[in-house]
């Protein structure tokens, strides 16, 4: 009789593989927008911040948000069973879109969320840390960490909603041979507007 052994892939290798999933910038953002639409949002803001230590991308919505336990669950890779019944409007099936889309574009994914009945909770995947530790080391931010995030006012002004933040973007070239960061961002914004208008036109005003 055969025996069963644990053949789980090392986290460092697994996350390196996830980072190579074939997303374009526009399709990766589209996956995040899918989540916002599924959360019954009425407004989505997409913000590029050309910071001195590297550009940042923020996507914030006013959907129904997540409390602490829901956020922690949503940050798990493959958090959904594709065979489970889904709520109407739920566009995700495998529970991996947020993470794989983000890992393909950025080294650091931070998500902050709140519901009408809960305060702000936040969690972070640092892909470099996962590879260094070879562990699925999800970082749960405490109140002091959350307060220190300089974009948190975008969520505080809403009764509920979610922020997805990408740091250490890998699709922006910052060497001396590349176009300026602002020029690259301007081009990406045009491409993103065209993509969203094509695939999400029925949701847009």
């Amino acid at each position: 009789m055969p025996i069963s052994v644990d053949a789980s892939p090392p986290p460092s290798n697994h996350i390196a593989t996830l980072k190579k999933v074939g997303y374009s910038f526009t399709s990766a953002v589209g996956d995040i927008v899918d989540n916002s639409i599924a959360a019954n949002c009425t407004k989505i803001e997409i913000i590029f911040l050309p910071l001195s230590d590297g550009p940042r991308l923020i996507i914030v919505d006013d959907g129904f948000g997540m409390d602490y336990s829901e956020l922690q669950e949503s940050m798990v890779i493959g958090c959904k069973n594709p065979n489970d019944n889904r709520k109407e409007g739920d566009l995700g099936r495998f529970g991996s879109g947020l993470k794989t889309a983000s890992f393909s574009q950025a080294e650091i994914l931070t998500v902050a969320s709140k519901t009408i009945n809960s305060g702000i909770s936040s969690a972070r995947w640092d892909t470099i840390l996962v590879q260094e530790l070879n562990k699925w080391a999800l970082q749960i931010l405490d109140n002091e960490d959350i307060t220190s995030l300089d974009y948190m006012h975008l969520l505080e002004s809403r009764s509920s909603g979610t922020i997805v933040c990408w740091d250490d973007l890998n699709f922006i070239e910052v060497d001396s041979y590349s176009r300026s960061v602002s020029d690259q961002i301007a081009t990406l914004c045009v491409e993103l507007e065209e993509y969203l208008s094509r695939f999400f036109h029925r949701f847009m005003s």
Side-chain angles (χ1 to χ4, degrees):
M1 177 179 294
I3 63 171
S4 297
V5 297
D6 184 2
S8 303
S12 58
N13 294 345
H14 192 182
I15 203 163
T17 300
L18 293 176
K19 290 164 71 173
K20 299 298 183 182
V21 173
Y23 279 92
S24 65
F25 165 70
T26 52
S27 63
V29 173
D31 256 25
I32 310 303
V33 171
D34 274 350
N35 291 341
S36 294
I37 293 171
N40 292 334
C41 72
T42 61
K43 184 178 182 181
I44 303 171
E45 294 183 62
I46 301 173
I47 305 166
F48 261 116
L49 297 175
L51 306 177
S52 58
D53 57 346
R56 166 183 289 164
L57 181 74
I58 294 172
I59 304 170
V60 55
D61 67 49
D62 61 353
F64 47 65
M66 297 171 282
D67 61 22
Y68 174 83
S69 60
E70 291 169 328
L71 172 62
Q72 188 168 345
E73 179 182 356
S74 75
M75 294 293 275
V76 175
I77 309 297
C79 60
K80 294 182 181 179
N81 184 331
N83 297 317
D84 287 346
N85 292 326
R86 291 179 294 164
K87 297 178 182 178
E88 183 179 356
D90 186 354
L91 303 177
R93 178 168 287 276
F94 299 101
S96 295
L98 166 65
K99 284 77 68 174
T100 54
S102 300
F103 295 162
S104 73
Q105 305 297 309
E107 301 294 349
I108 299 174
L109 163 66
T110 305
V111 179
S113 192
K114 71 174 183 178
T115 69
I116 292 177
N117 299 316
S118 71
I120 298 175
S121 301
S122 185
R124 174 178 293 146
W125 279 118
D126 183 333
T127 63
I128 302 301
L129 180 65
V130 171
Q131 291 177 303
E132 288 178 349
L133 299 179
N134 198 25
K135 293 174 60 177
W136 290 112
L138 177 66
Q139 298 175 288
I140 304 299
L141 278 61
D142 61 22
N143 289 334
E144 184 177 349
D145 297 323
I146 293 171
T147 302
S148 70
L149 299 176
D150 56 11
Y151 49 82
M152 201 49 58
H153 65 281
L154 297 169
L155 190 56
E156 291 169 345
S157 62
R158 293 164 164 78
S159 59
S160 64
T162 299
I163 287 178
V164 174
C165 178
W166 293 348
D167 283 303
D168 289 354
L169 308 178
N170 59 32
F171 55 87
I172 299 288
E173 301 292 339
V174 295
D175 59 68
S176 59
Y177 302 100
S178 302
R179 290 184 303 153
S180 70
V181 170
S182 58
D183 284 347
Q184 293 179 67
I185 289 175
T187 298
L188 289 168
C189 286
V190 171
E191 294 174 355
L192 183 59
E193 184 175 7
E194 292 175 350
Y195 178 90
L196 295 177
S197 64
R198 184 163 65 250
F199 289 98
F200 297 94
H201 59 89
R202 67 192 177 99
F203 298 104
M204 298 174 68
S205 60

